[in-house]
Amino acid sequence: MKPTRAGTTENISVSMPAELISELRSRTGRRGLSGYITEAVRHQLAMDGLADIVASHEEAHGALTEQEVEDARRELFGEESARTSGMDAA
């Protein structure tokens, strides 16, 4: 196992469609593949955690309003993102 900023690493084997692996390698090169996948998994875990928070909130307080969603977007991504997101919904 190699040390990383988050501790040690472990080799695993995952199966993916060949065309997906080919596209990943064309974007990252062979050496960047692990880092790219690691960041993608970190991102997905964060999104899963956010979905858990939203589900828990909605269970306790009902569905989020459009204003609450807009406020959360602004808090997370800034004013411009909230404005752009609002245009997509129209």
Side-chain angles (χ1 to χ4, degrees):
M1 291 187 202
K2 295 180 236 171
T4 66
R5 66 183 165 101
T8 59
T9 62
E10 182 177 335
N11 288 329
I12 63 168
S13 175
V14 294
S15 298
M16 287 188 223
E19 66 275 3
L20 184 59
I21 293 171
S22 177
E23 186 172 346
L24 281 169
R25 285 189 174 139
S26 72
R27 290 179 178 269
T28 65
R30 285 187 157 279
R31 305 197 111 210
L33 193 60
S34 290
Y36 189 94
I37 292 170
T38 297
E39 289 308 310
V41 170
R42 276 194 182 108
H43 176 79
Q44 186 60 51
L45 290 171
M47 294 299 99
D48 292 349
L50 184 56
D52 291 344
I53 291 167
V54 169
S56 176
H57 175 84
E58 288 184 333
E59 186 176 313
H61 305 285
L64 292 168
T65 66
E66 286 184 35
Q67 184 62 51
E68 288 171 319
V69 171
E70 184 180 326
D71 291 347
R73 275 196 185 105
R74 187 173 290 111
E75 174 91 14
L76 290 169
F77 306 113
E79 183 69 34
E80 186 61 33
S81 178
R83 222 183 350 259
T84 302
S85 175
M87 289 191 311
D88 292 343

